[in-house]
Every structure is written in C-alpha cells, then in structure tokens.
Amino acid sequence: MKLLHIDSSILGDNSVSRALSADVVAHLENKAETEITYHDLAARPIPHLTGRYLAGKSPDVQHDPALQEDLHLGGKALEEFLAADTVVIGVAMYNFTIPSQLKAWIDRIVVAGKTFHYTENGPVGLAGDKHVILALARGGIYSPGTPGAAIEHQESYLRAIFGFIGITRITSILAEGVALGAEAREKSVAVAREAIAKL
C-alpha cells in the first residue's frame, strides 16, 4: 500500500492532530506492507498559489528559477497524491477552519484535468480510488447538534473538497474539546484512539 502522510499543525510535539495521525499510520503499517511518503507542511510549507503559477506555461518560466521551483513543488505534490492508495492527514483547527498550510497543499492537488474535470452536467471527480483518513483535533466542541456546529469549517470543508474530486471513502478520527482542560483532552484523545484501533 502506498500511503501519503500529511501533517499541518504548527504546535509540534504539543499537537493532538500530529499524535493521532502518527497513531493512524502506525496502525495501518501493522496491518499491511506500507510505503510511506511524509510531509510536514508546517516545517516545510508549500507556497500559496499565485497568478504566475497558474500561468506557469508562459515564457517567463525558463527565466525565473523561483517559479520553476514552485511549479516543481506543485507537480510533485500532485504526483504523490495521485500515486497514494491511502492519504492520512493530521488536521488542526484554527479560527474554525484548517491551517493555511494545508489549504495551500489542497490547492496543488485540486487541479482541473487531473483530479476533476468539467462536463456538460457539471464537475466530475477523478480521484475516487483513494481512502482519506482525517486525524482531526479541535480546541472546542463543534460536532453536529452542538451550538458551535454552524461555524465548523474544518471537517465539513475537507469532506466537501475531497468529495468534489471524487473521493467518497473518507474516515474521520476526531478529538475535540482538547483545550477545555486536561481531563477533557485526555478523554477525547482516548476516544479517538479507540476509533483508530477499529480501522
């Protein structure tokens, strides 16, 4: 199995999402022979999209080493994503949504003609042969039925964007309320690890 492991939290060793994504990968490694590609988007972020990147086939490319490098990084991110059977993503929540570093990576893999295409009946996803596992951590409570649910743009966004490119097999491992005290954090992480054991 080819596994792509992405982390996005800026909290390093204090990150719950990083701990959970590592647990997911370790669990999957125990179940099958696994080839792992790992990226820490906080330590080595992919640049955000620019107009020059989108116009990357212009004559300017050959005269601009920085743009060439940017195009290379974007192409590599897309190739790794397309090659993976399983994608494990450690996802923090900042200001009710995903880290900007993760959004920058997503912008490099949601590419017309590669992971989706438009038809007369609307867009069609092309990346549906993958399993995406989201290791989500949130300081507060935003699950469905709670007062915070309306401003949860972390899991809901990721499910929408991966669904857009055709991926329907999406598993969420969630620890929420981790900023509500040591006991709440410990309990939430324990529940998440129980879910990992069932993968």
Side-chain angles (χ1 to χ4, degrees), residues 1 3 22-34 36:
M1 175 176 66
L3 187 150
D23 287 350
V24 170
V25 171
H27 175 75
L28 295 176
E29 274 189 291
N30 287 334
K31 295 185 71 175
E33 185 175 343
T34 307
I36 299 171

Side-chain angles (χ1 to χ4, degrees), residues 100-176:
S100 64
Q101 294 91 337
L102 181 55
K103 177 60 166 63
W105 177 80
I106 287 170
D107 286 341
R108 303 307 180 105
I109 66 163
V110 180
V111 180
K114 299 293 186 179
T115 53
F116 76 95
H117 69 94
Y118 291 109
T119 72
E120 60 183 17
N121 297 317
V124 174
L126 303 174
D129 58 342
K130 304 181 187 309
H131 182 194
V132 170
I133 303 173
L134 306 173
L136 303 144
R138 308 170 182 164
I141 306 293
Y142 302 94
S143 52
T146 67
I151 53 174
E152 186 279 300
H153 306 295
Q154 178 199 34
E155 180 181 3
S156 57
Y157 167 72
L158 291 170
R159 285 185 171 273
I161 198 69
F162 285 118
F164 178 79
I165 60 174
I167 298 173
T168 57
R169 193 179 175 204
I170 303 171
T171 302
S172 294
I173 303 296
L174 173 63
E176 63 177 354

